[in-house]
Amino acid sequence: MGNAMTPPTPAWGAPHLSLAVRGLKPSPTVAINERSDALRQQGRRIYKLGLGQSPFPVPEPVVASLREHAHEKAYLPVKGLPALRAAVAAYEQRTIDLACDAEDVIIAPGSKELMFLLQVTFYGDLIVPTPAWVSYAPQAHILQRTVEYLPMREADGWRLDPDALAECCKDDPTRPRVLILNYPSNPAGTTYDRAHLERLADVARRYGVIVLSDEIYGELHFQGRQPSIATAYPEGTIVSTGLSKWCGAGGWRLGAFVFPRQLRWLQDAMAAVASESYTATSAPIQYAAITAFQGGPAIAAYLVRARRILAALGAFVTARLRAARVTLPDPEGGFYVFADFAAHRAAFAARGITTSVQLAERLLEDTGVALLPGNAFGRPKDELTVRIAYVDFDGARAMANLPDGPGLPDPAWLRQHCTPVVEAIDQVHAWTLQA
Ligand code: GLU
């Protein structure tokens, strides 16, 4: 009797997920971080070389500015606080000689969000040179866009060959495309010189390719400055930046894009989508970001210290891995290396390791070193590559103890002040050479 009144059990469940996200896993960078923390909570000694999080604190003047603006509570304009947009434009003028002004800037809760909005808004293929940061392609897949992978070569320092770009574009020359160019590179740590960027710019201009120049690690170039493709191809380049890497503020979630005037239509469309999704970026964070982008002597000194430590550590990691017959190009900025264990293929096969995922898993199991497999960066499954983020150390203590002067700290200093990274690389070295 009661049965007639019982509503049918709804058929909701996993089969009703959008086809585009069925099978989608949490992003590998985020997943390895959460897994490392969970393993640590179980009491395991874990070296966190997985997530690329700055080891350094947010510079004191920026923290002070956040404190001062904690009361800011209003929704801000969707494209960002005008004074922050002006500060970002001035920063780009100062650091990469980009001709731009406040109107060209859009602010968001992280450049990752802006990259997603760009793909929501622009209809075209995404060109992803690999190895590439883990989220560019999944964002395209979520939106059911086509991804064109352009494999790069270790012998080229994992840099994009302009001829490979031309080859990709020439079959359908008028097809709308966005090329993502990230330098210093996540995951390889290498970057481009001006001549190389000019050659890439020529190809992009010839085929009308929009370039998303992801310069989030630009300030962490070990020399403190690098050219941008935006100066060689101003009309077609969007520059991406943010606070996460150079300002140590990943968890604050603040990113910015700078558009050429010619792409104002795209910027406006992205702002319209933003207004229907996140509305605006956190107000106190935007006020604090003005202080960060304005710079000044304290922030400049902080960056000099950060670069000296990262340059020394990058060189140490590279040398130590090479001593174990692991190959990799010299890092030039940021805090990653992309290491290739191909020379150990036969020995690893005998240990049951034939893919990068197995390699990363076994390293975690056997040594406690958490890192990411090359496959997560768009490389073939059986290529024995991994990304190492050399960030597991107390950056505040390291900065405080760094001797003054232009030179780089030596390995003994690194062993004392960046201990977990040095120990982790020792572990990888010994584990690799195990019979
Ligand atoms: N960009 C960082 C990385 O590659 C972390 C942030 C993220 O992936 O969202 O590890």
Side-chain angles (χ1 to χ4, degrees), residues 29-30 50-52 112 133-134 186 217 245 336 387:
T29 50
V30 177
L51 178 73
K112 192 173 187 172
W133 175 56
V134 300
N186 174 6
Y217 300 95
K245 310 304 178 186
Y336 306 109
R387 185 192 79 172

Side-chain angles (χ1 to χ4, degrees), residues 18 20 32 53 65 94 105 183 212 245 278 316 326 346 405:
S18 148
I32 192 69
Q53 168 154 264
S65 177
R94 197 169 71 232
V105 176
Y183 53 105
L212 177 64
K245 310 304 178 186
Y278 59 79
F316 172 86
V326 175

Side-chain angles (χ1 to χ4, degrees), residues 20-106:
V21 302
R22 266 209 220 183
L24 185 74
K25 301 268 183 340
S27 182
T29 50
V30 177
I32 192 69
N33 190 44
E34 294 180 8
R35 188 166 165 210
S36 305
D37 288 343
L39 288 170
R40 275 187 179 177
Q41 260 164 14
Q42 290 165 20
R44 279 201 61 191
R45 174 75 181 98
I46 298 296
Y47 299 96
K48 290 183 63 173
L49 312 191
L51 178 73
Q53 168 154 264
S54 167
F56 303 111
V58 178
E60 195 41 53
V62 184
V63 175
S65 177
L66 180 62
R67 225 178 265 124
E68 201 183 306
H69 291 98
H71 63 279
E72 294 290 351
K73 48 158 275 191
Y75 291 109
L76 295 179
V78 61
K79 284 185 181 170
L81 189 61
L84 175 57
R85 296 172 71 199
V88 171
Y91 164 87
E92 296 298 351
Q93 289 164 18
R94 197 169 71 232
T95 53
I96 60 166
D97 299 322
L98 188 68
C100 61
D101 64 33
E103 288 297 304
D104 303 323
V105 176
I106 184 169

